PDB file of all heavy atoms in Angstrom:
ATOM      1  N   ARG M 350       4.109  -4.435   8.376  1.00 97.00           N
ATOM      2  CA  ARG M 350       3.997  -5.371   9.513  1.00 97.00           C
ATOM      3  C   ARG M 350       5.315  -5.986   9.898  1.00 97.00           C
ATOM      4  O   ARG M 350       5.620  -6.070  11.126  1.00 97.00           O
ATOM      5  CB  ARG M 350       2.886  -6.434   9.263  1.00 97.00           C
ATOM      6  CG  ARG M 350       1.510  -5.902   9.074  1.00 97.00           C
ATOM      7  CD  ARG M 350       0.534  -7.115   9.006  1.00 97.00           C
ATOM      8  NE  ARG M 350      -0.715  -6.559   8.443  1.00 97.00           N
ATOM      9  CZ  ARG M 350      -1.083  -6.696   7.210  1.00 97.00           C
ATOM     10  NH1 ARG M 350      -0.312  -7.213   6.345  1.00 97.00           N
ATOM     11  NH2 ARG M 350      -2.301  -6.146   6.797  1.00 97.00           N
ATOM     12  N   ARG M 392       9.221 -15.105   0.455  1.00 97.00           N
ATOM     13  CA  ARG M 392      10.157 -15.559   1.585  1.00 97.00           C
ATOM     14  C   ARG M 392      11.563 -14.833   1.510  1.00 97.00           C
ATOM     15  O   ARG M 392      12.058 -14.676   0.438  1.00 97.00           O
ATOM     16  CB  ARG M 392      10.328 -16.995   1.525  1.00 97.00           C
ATOM     17  CG  ARG M 392       9.149 -17.849   1.310  1.00 97.00           C
ATOM     18  CD  ARG M 392       9.440 -19.372   1.552  1.00 97.00           C
ATOM     19  NE  ARG M 392       9.538 -19.712   2.833  1.00 97.00           N
ATOM     20  CZ  ARG M 392       8.538 -20.072   3.744  1.00 97.00           C
ATOM     21  NH1 ARG M 392       7.403 -20.128   3.135  1.00 97.00           N
ATOM     22  NH2 ARG M 392       8.812 -20.267   4.897  1.00 97.00           N
ATOM     23  N   VAL M 408      -1.252 -16.438 -11.460  1.00 95.00           N
ATOM     24  CA  VAL M 408      -2.389 -15.656 -11.900  1.00 95.00           C
ATOM     25  C   VAL M 408      -3.557 -16.579 -12.246  1.00 95.00           C
ATOM     26  O   VAL M 408      -3.444 -17.723 -12.299  1.00 95.00           O
ATOM     27  CB  VAL M 408      -2.142 -14.804 -13.155  1.00 95.00           C
ATOM     28  CG1 VAL M 408      -0.946 -13.862 -12.918  1.00 95.00           C
ATOM     29  CG2 VAL M 408      -1.879 -15.649 -14.413  1.00 95.00           C
ATOM     30  N   SER M 429     -10.627  -2.378   6.533  1.00 98.00           N
ATOM     31  CA  SER M 429     -10.909  -2.654   7.996  1.00 98.00           C
ATOM     32  C   SER M 429      -9.522  -2.767   8.792  1.00 98.00           C
ATOM     33  O   SER M 429      -9.299  -2.283   9.803  1.00 98.00           O
ATOM     34  CB  SER M 429     -11.802  -3.888   8.174  1.00 98.00           C
ATOM     35  OG  SER M 429     -11.882  -4.278   9.482  1.00 98.00           O
ATOM     36  N   ASP M 430      -8.678  -3.646   8.062  1.00 98.00           N
ATOM     37  CA  ASP M 430      -7.440  -3.789   8.829  1.00 98.00           C
ATOM     38  C   ASP M 430      -6.535  -2.506   8.960  1.00 98.00           C
ATOM     39  O   ASP M 430      -6.040  -2.301  10.022  1.00 98.00           O
ATOM     40  CB  ASP M 430      -6.525  -4.864   8.015  1.00 98.00           C
ATOM     41  CG  ASP M 430      -5.273  -5.209   8.725  1.00 98.00           C
ATOM     42  OD1 ASP M 430      -5.318  -5.462   9.911  1.00 98.00           O
ATOM     43  OD2 ASP M 430      -4.250  -5.386   8.039  1.00 98.00           O
TER      44      ASP M 430
ATOM     45  N   SER C  48      -0.291 -11.932  10.286  1.00 96.00           N
ATOM     46  CA  SER C  48      -0.823 -10.581  10.059  1.00 96.00           C
ATOM     47  C   SER C  48      -0.926 -10.341   8.537  1.00 96.00           C
ATOM     48  O   SER C  48      -1.678  -9.576   8.099  1.00 96.00           O
ATOM     49  CB  SER C  48       0.051  -9.554  10.765  1.00 96.00           C
ATOM     50  OG  SER C  48       1.220  -9.455  10.086  1.00 96.00           O
ATOM     51  N   THR C  56      -8.090  -8.071  10.567  1.00 97.00           N
ATOM     52  CA  THR C  56      -7.141  -8.067  11.597  1.00 97.00           C
ATOM     53  C   THR C  56      -7.359  -9.321  12.557  1.00 97.00           C
ATOM     54  O   THR C  56      -8.435  -9.616  13.041  1.00 97.00           O
ATOM     55  CB  THR C  56      -7.256  -6.794  12.393  1.00 97.00           C
ATOM     56  OG1 THR C  56      -7.152  -5.634  11.517  1.00 97.00           O
ATOM     57  CG2 THR C  56      -6.163  -6.604  13.396  1.00 97.00           C
ATOM     58  N   GLY C  98       2.789 -21.997  -0.660  1.00 96.00           N
ATOM     59  CA  GLY C  98       3.981 -21.218  -0.410  1.00 96.00           C
ATOM     60  C   GLY C  98       4.381 -21.222   1.006  1.00 96.00           C
ATOM     61  O   GLY C  98       5.422 -20.708   1.427  1.00 96.00           O
ATOM     62  N   GLU C 103       4.787 -23.791   9.463  1.00 95.00           N
ATOM     63  CA  GLU C 103       4.108 -22.474   9.325  1.00 95.00           C
ATOM     64  C   GLU C 103       2.568 -22.652   9.469  1.00 95.00           C
ATOM     65  O   GLU C 103       1.875 -21.941  10.212  1.00 95.00           O
ATOM     66  CB  GLU C 103       4.434 -21.660   8.156  1.00 95.00           C
ATOM     67  CG  GLU C 103       5.871 -21.026   8.296  1.00 95.00           C
ATOM     68  CD  GLU C 103       6.509 -20.539   6.933  1.00 95.00           C
ATOM     69  OE1 GLU C 103       5.939 -20.949   5.916  1.00 95.00           O
ATOM     70  OE2 GLU C 103       7.480 -19.839   6.995  1.00 95.00           O
ATOM     71  N   GLU C 120     -14.860  -3.939  12.138  1.00 96.00           N
ATOM     72  CA  GLU C 120     -15.383  -2.659  11.957  1.00 96.00           C
ATOM     73  C   GLU C 120     -14.856  -2.173  10.505  1.00 96.00           C
ATOM     74  O   GLU C 120     -13.813  -2.597  10.090  1.00 96.00           O
ATOM     75  CB  GLU C 120     -14.710  -1.654  12.949  1.00 96.00           C
ATOM     76  CG  GLU C 120     -15.363  -0.386  13.128  1.00 96.00           C
ATOM     77  CD  GLU C 120     -14.649   0.483  14.073  1.00 96.00           C
ATOM     78  OE1 GLU C 120     -13.815  -0.149  14.889  1.00 96.00           O
ATOM     79  OE2 GLU C 120     -14.711   1.791  14.096  1.00 96.00           O
TER      80      GLU C 120
END
Side-chain angles (χ1 to χ4, degrees):
Chain M
R350 295 186 197 95
R392 313 186 74 89
V408 300
S429 171
D430 183 44
Chain C
S48 72
T56 304
E103 283 166 347
E120 194 184 342

